[in-house]
Amino acid sequence: MTPVSAALDRSFRDAAAREHLLDVAYDLVDSPVGTLLVAATERGLCRIAYDADPERELDRLAAAFGLRVLQSPRPIDSARRQLDEYFEGKRQRFDLEVDLELLADFNRRVLHELARVPYGEVVTYGELAARAARPRAARAVGTVMNRNPLPIVLPCHRVIGSTGKLVGYAGGLERKETLLRLEGALL
């Protein structure tokens, strides 16, 4: 196999994205809470994963969105920039298109309400359930939070238990605490 120069490789990946030849573009993004795998379809951001096992995550993306999955930084640039601004304390709200098309209606409704929880504030699972017009569905909301495909951007770290304790974060409670401290929600 003949090695390909970094410039040619980058050019190929950029062209594939530009010519709409990808189902999903992804890249790895360094952050204060670890390396994030960030992925997008042409409809918008579709996945942010902590500590992603690239092989497994790419298989999941291919199964969900289509086989044409390629590491291509350019389609992720806006998300990377906004994540960097968030971690630097310069951004309190994300302005990114998201692709939640594959989710059930209830899940999309919950995540839509979640996106409305202001920076630096918290809400309980029960409160979020009520906002999603299902006041008795706190446990179901917990499941949606656990499976949130876009942590940080859809801020499931802002959801706490009814007692005010930090509970249940798929990225780990240490990350949840770090994100809430960054936002000033924890002293």
Side-chain angles (χ1 to χ4, degrees), residues 103-121:
L103 300 181
D105 288 340
F106 174 73
N107 297 32
R108 281 196 307 272
R109 188 169 54 239
V110 168
L111 292 173
H112 173 76
E113 291 301 325
L114 174 66
R116 298 174 64 181
V117 176
Y119 179 93
E121 295 185 22

PDB file of all heavy atoms in Angstrom, residues 103-121:
ATOM      1  N   LEU A 103     -35.283   9.455  16.287  1.00  0.00           N
ATOM      2  CA  LEU A 103     -35.818   9.266  17.637  1.00  0.00           C
ATOM      3  C   LEU A 103     -37.339   9.249  17.639  1.00  0.00           C
ATOM      4  O   LEU A 103     -37.984   9.869  16.793  1.00  0.00           O
ATOM      5  CB  LEU A 103     -35.321  10.376  18.563  1.00  0.00           C
ATOM      6  CG  LEU A 103     -33.812  10.493  18.744  1.00  0.00           C
ATOM      7  CD1 LEU A 103     -33.503  11.632  19.702  1.00  0.00           C
ATOM      8  CD2 LEU A 103     -33.224   9.193  19.263  1.00  0.00           C
ATOM      9  N   ALA A 104     -37.910   8.586  18.634  1.00  0.00           N
ATOM     10  CA  ALA A 104     -39.358   8.545  18.816  1.00  0.00           C
ATOM     11  C   ALA A 104     -39.862   9.937  19.191  1.00  0.00           C
ATOM     12  O   ALA A 104     -39.112  10.761  19.726  1.00  0.00           O
ATOM     13  CB  ALA A 104     -39.717   7.542  19.908  1.00  0.00           C
ATOM     14  N   ASP A 105     -41.126  10.189  18.935  1.00  0.00           N
ATOM     15  CA  ASP A 105     -41.727  11.504  19.211  1.00  0.00           C
ATOM     16  C   ASP A 105     -41.519  11.948  20.647  1.00  0.00           C
ATOM     17  O   ASP A 105     -41.159  13.095  20.901  1.00  0.00           O
ATOM     18  CB  ASP A 105     -43.227  11.496  18.898  1.00  0.00           C
ATOM     19  CG  ASP A 105     -43.507  11.449  17.406  1.00  0.00           C
ATOM     20  OD1 ASP A 105     -42.613  11.792  16.612  1.00  0.00           O
ATOM     21  OD2 ASP A 105     -44.635  11.060  17.040  1.00  0.00           O
ATOM     22  N   PHE A 106     -41.765  11.062  21.612  1.00  0.00           N
ATOM     23  CA  PHE A 106     -41.604  11.425  23.022  1.00  0.00           C
ATOM     24  C   PHE A 106     -40.167  11.856  23.300  1.00  0.00           C
ATOM     25  O   PHE A 106     -39.919  12.873  23.954  1.00  0.00           O
ATOM     26  CB  PHE A 106     -42.000  10.264  23.940  1.00  0.00           C
ATOM     27  CG  PHE A 106     -41.716  10.525  25.389  1.00  0.00           C
ATOM     28  CD1 PHE A 106     -42.500  11.424  26.119  1.00  0.00           C
ATOM     29  CD2 PHE A 106     -40.663   9.890  26.034  1.00  0.00           C
ATOM     30  CE1 PHE A 106     -42.234  11.678  27.455  1.00  0.00           C
ATOM     31  CE2 PHE A 106     -40.390  10.143  27.366  1.00  0.00           C
ATOM     32  CZ  PHE A 106     -41.182  11.032  28.083  1.00  0.00           C
ATOM     33  N   ASN A 107     -39.215  11.115  22.783  1.00  0.00           N
ATOM     34  CA  ASN A 107     -37.803  11.448  22.999  1.00  0.00           C
ATOM     35  C   ASN A 107     -37.463  12.811  22.412  1.00  0.00           C
ATOM     36  O   ASN A 107     -36.783  13.617  23.053  1.00  0.00           O
ATOM     37  CB  ASN A 107     -36.898  10.379  22.387  1.00  0.00           C
ATOM     38  CG  ASN A 107     -37.072   9.027  23.018  1.00  0.00           C
ATOM     39  OD1 ASN A 107     -38.157   8.664  23.465  1.00  0.00           O
ATOM     40  ND2 ASN A 107     -36.023   8.239  23.042  1.00  0.00           N
ATOM     41  N   ARG A 108     -37.942  13.076  21.202  1.00  0.00           N
ATOM     42  CA  ARG A 108     -37.692  14.390  20.585  1.00  0.00           C
ATOM     43  C   ARG A 108     -38.331  15.503  21.400  1.00  0.00           C
ATOM     44  O   ARG A 108     -37.741  16.566  21.584  1.00  0.00           O
ATOM     45  CB  ARG A 108     -38.213  14.413  19.144  1.00  0.00           C
ATOM     46  CG  ARG A 108     -37.286  13.727  18.164  1.00  0.00           C
ATOM     47  CD  ARG A 108     -37.593  14.087  16.718  1.00  0.00           C
ATOM     48  NE  ARG A 108     -38.975  13.882  16.332  1.00  0.00           N
ATOM     49  CZ  ARG A 108     -39.485  12.746  15.851  1.00  0.00           C
ATOM     50  NH1 ARG A 108     -38.692  11.702  15.696  1.00  0.00           N
ATOM     51  NH2 ARG A 108     -40.739  12.656  15.507  1.00  0.00           N
ATOM     52  N   ARG A 109     -39.547  15.269  21.903  1.00  0.00           N
ATOM     53  CA  ARG A 109     -40.236  16.291  22.706  1.00  0.00           C
ATOM     54  C   ARG A 109     -39.458  16.577  23.983  1.00  0.00           C
ATOM     55  O   ARG A 109     -39.259  17.730  24.365  1.00  0.00           O
ATOM     56  CB  ARG A 109     -41.663  15.844  23.020  1.00  0.00           C
ATOM     57  CG  ARG A 109     -42.484  16.917  23.682  1.00  0.00           C
ATOM     58  CD  ARG A 109     -43.974  16.593  23.754  1.00  0.00           C
ATOM     59  NE  ARG A 109     -44.254  15.315  24.377  1.00  0.00           N
ATOM     60  CZ  ARG A 109     -44.907  14.312  23.788  1.00  0.00           C
ATOM     61  NH1 ARG A 109     -45.346  14.436  22.561  1.00  0.00           N
ATOM     62  NH2 ARG A 109     -45.117  13.179  24.425  1.00  0.00           N
ATOM     63  N   VAL A 110     -38.987  15.534  24.645  1.00  0.00           N
ATOM     64  CA  VAL A 110     -38.205  15.709  25.876  1.00  0.00           C
ATOM     65  C   VAL A 110     -36.913  16.463  25.569  1.00  0.00           C
ATOM     66  O   VAL A 110     -36.546  17.394  26.293  1.00  0.00           O
ATOM     67  CB  VAL A 110     -37.905  14.347  26.549  1.00  0.00           C
ATOM     68  CG1 VAL A 110     -36.864  14.493  27.654  1.00  0.00           C
ATOM     69  CG2 VAL A 110     -39.186  13.725  27.098  1.00  0.00           C
ATOM     70  N   LEU A 111     -36.214  16.085  24.504  1.00  0.00           N
ATOM     71  CA  LEU A 111     -34.954  16.746  24.165  1.00  0.00           C
ATOM     72  C   LEU A 111     -35.183  18.192  23.732  1.00  0.00           C
ATOM     73  O   LEU A 111     -34.358  19.060  24.006  1.00  0.00           O
ATOM     74  CB  LEU A 111     -34.203  15.953  23.097  1.00  0.00           C
ATOM     75  CG  LEU A 111     -33.673  14.597  23.581  1.00  0.00           C
ATOM     76  CD1 LEU A 111     -33.096  13.800  22.414  1.00  0.00           C
ATOM     77  CD2 LEU A 111     -32.673  14.736  24.703  1.00  0.00           C
ATOM     78  N   HIS A 112     -36.321  18.458  23.101  1.00  0.00           N
ATOM     79  CA  HIS A 112     -36.663  19.844  22.755  1.00  0.00           C
ATOM     80  C   HIS A 112     -36.834  20.670  24.027  1.00  0.00           C
ATOM     81  O   HIS A 112     -36.334  21.793  24.123  1.00  0.00           O
ATOM     82  CB  HIS A 112     -37.941  19.874  21.915  1.00  0.00           C
ATOM     83  CG  HIS A 112     -38.447  21.250  21.654  1.00  0.00           C
ATOM     84  ND1 HIS A 112     -37.864  22.102  20.737  1.00  0.00           N
ATOM     85  CD2 HIS A 112     -39.466  21.950  22.212  1.00  0.00           C
ATOM     86  CE1 HIS A 112     -38.504  23.248  20.743  1.00  0.00           C
ATOM     87  NE2 HIS A 112     -39.484  23.190  21.629  1.00  0.00           N
ATOM     88  N   GLU A 113     -37.526  20.129  25.016  1.00  0.00           N
ATOM     89  CA  GLU A 113     -37.702  20.832  26.290  1.00  0.00           C
ATOM     90  C   GLU A 113     -36.374  20.959  27.028  1.00  0.00           C
ATOM     91  O   GLU A 113     -36.097  21.975  27.647  1.00  0.00           O
ATOM     92  CB  GLU A 113     -38.748  20.136  27.156  1.00  0.00           C
ATOM     93  CG  GLU A 113     -40.153  20.256  26.622  1.00  0.00           C
ATOM     94  CD  GLU A 113     -40.628  21.699  26.465  1.00  0.00           C
ATOM     95  OE1 GLU A 113     -40.246  22.564  27.292  1.00  0.00           O
ATOM     96  OE2 GLU A 113     -41.372  21.969  25.510  1.00  0.00           O
ATOM     97  N   LEU A 114     -35.557  19.923  26.951  1.00  0.00           N
ATOM     98  CA  LEU A 114     -34.233  19.954  27.574  1.00  0.00           C
ATOM     99  C   LEU A 114     -33.402  21.106  27.011  1.00  0.00           C
ATOM    100  O   LEU A 114     -32.728  21.816  27.763  1.00  0.00           O
ATOM    101  CB  LEU A 114     -33.511  18.624  27.351  1.00  0.00           C
ATOM    102  CG  LEU A 114     -32.068  18.547  27.821  1.00  0.00           C
ATOM    103  CD1 LEU A 114     -32.001  18.661  29.341  1.00  0.00           C
ATOM    104  CD2 LEU A 114     -31.432  17.254  27.335  1.00  0.00           C
ATOM    105  N   ALA A 115     -33.462  21.303  25.706  1.00  0.00           N
ATOM    106  CA  ALA A 115     -32.683  22.367  25.065  1.00  0.00           C
ATOM    107  C   ALA A 115     -33.088  23.749  25.577  1.00  0.00           C
ATOM    108  O   ALA A 115     -32.303  24.690  25.487  1.00  0.00           O
ATOM    109  CB  ALA A 115     -32.858  22.296  23.547  1.00  0.00           C
ATOM    110  N   ARG A 116     -34.269  23.854  26.157  1.00  0.00           N
ATOM    111  CA  ARG A 116     -34.758  25.139  26.659  1.00  0.00           C
ATOM    112  C   ARG A 116     -34.332  25.417  28.103  1.00  0.00           C
ATOM    113  O   ARG A 116     -34.572  26.509  28.607  1.00  0.00           O
ATOM    114  CB  ARG A 116     -36.283  25.166  26.545  1.00  0.00           C
ATOM    115  CG  ARG A 116     -36.724  25.059  25.083  1.00  0.00           C
ATOM    116  CD  ARG A 116     -38.200  24.935  24.940  1.00  0.00           C
ATOM    117  NE  ARG A 116     -38.816  26.166  25.438  1.00  0.00           N
ATOM    118  CZ  ARG A 116     -40.102  26.375  25.481  1.00  0.00           C
ATOM    119  NH1 ARG A 116     -40.926  25.455  25.060  1.00  0.00           N
ATOM    120  NH2 ARG A 116     -40.581  27.503  25.935  1.00  0.00           N
ATOM    121  N   VAL A 117     -33.687  24.453  28.764  1.00  0.00           N
ATOM    122  CA  VAL A 117     -33.207  24.673  30.134  1.00  0.00           C
ATOM    123  C   VAL A 117     -32.020  25.631  30.044  1.00  0.00           C
ATOM    124  O   VAL A 117     -31.023  25.324  29.391  1.00  0.00           O
ATOM    125  CB  VAL A 117     -32.799  23.352  30.825  1.00  0.00           C
ATOM    126  CG1 VAL A 117     -32.220  23.623  32.210  1.00  0.00           C
ATOM    127  CG2 VAL A 117     -33.987  22.398  30.910  1.00  0.00           C
ATOM    128  N   PRO A 118     -32.123  26.796  30.683  1.00  0.00           N
ATOM    129  CA  PRO A 118     -31.073  27.811  30.525  1.00  0.00           C
ATOM    130  C   PRO A 118     -29.717  27.390  31.100  1.00  0.00           C
ATOM    131  O   PRO A 118     -29.629  26.620  32.057  1.00  0.00           O
ATOM    132  CB  PRO A 118     -31.613  29.016  31.307  1.00  0.00           C
ATOM    133  CG  PRO A 118     -33.078  28.777  31.431  1.00  0.00           C
ATOM    134  CD  PRO A 118     -33.242  27.285  31.476  1.00  0.00           C
ATOM    135  N   TYR A 119     -28.699  27.945  30.513  1.00  0.00           N
ATOM    136  CA  TYR A 119     -27.312  27.789  30.968  1.00  0.00           C
ATOM    137  C   TYR A 119     -27.245  28.152  32.450  1.00  0.00           C
ATOM    138  O   TYR A 119     -27.809  29.156  32.895  1.00  0.00           O
ATOM    139  CB  TYR A 119     -26.448  28.750  30.152  1.00  0.00           C
ATOM    140  CG  TYR A 119     -24.980  28.759  30.479  1.00  0.00           C
ATOM    141  CD1 TYR A 119     -24.103  27.951  29.789  1.00  0.00           C
ATOM    142  CD2 TYR A 119     -24.470  29.606  31.454  1.00  0.00           C
ATOM    143  CE1 TYR A 119     -22.741  27.979  30.049  1.00  0.00           C
ATOM    144  CE2 TYR A 119     -23.109  29.638  31.725  1.00  0.00           C
ATOM    145  CZ  TYR A 119     -22.257  28.819  31.014  1.00  0.00           C
ATOM    146  OH  TYR A 119     -20.913  28.849  31.287  1.00  0.00           O
ATOM    147  N   GLY A 120     -26.577  27.316  33.220  1.00  0.00           N
ATOM    148  CA  GLY A 120     -26.377  27.606  34.635  1.00  0.00           C
ATOM    149  C   GLY A 120     -27.558  27.276  35.523  1.00  0.00           C
ATOM    150  O   GLY A 120     -27.523  27.538  36.719  1.00  0.00           O
ATOM    151  N   GLU A 121     -28.611  26.699  34.961  1.00  0.00           N
ATOM    152  CA  GLU A 121     -29.774  26.311  35.754  1.00  0.00           C
ATOM    153  C   GLU A 121     -29.952  24.806  35.666  1.00  0.00           C
ATOM    154  O   GLU A 121     -29.442  24.155  34.760  1.00  0.00           O
ATOM    155  CB  GLU A 121     -31.036  27.034  35.256  1.00  0.00           C
ATOM    156  CG  GLU A 121     -30.961  28.535  35.470  1.00  0.00           C
ATOM    157  CD  GLU A 121     -32.246  29.246  35.082  1.00  0.00           C
ATOM    158  OE1 GLU A 121     -33.310  28.598  35.042  1.00  0.00           O
ATOM    159  OE2 GLU A 121     -32.166  30.452  34.807  1.00  0.00           O
TER     160      GLU A 121
END
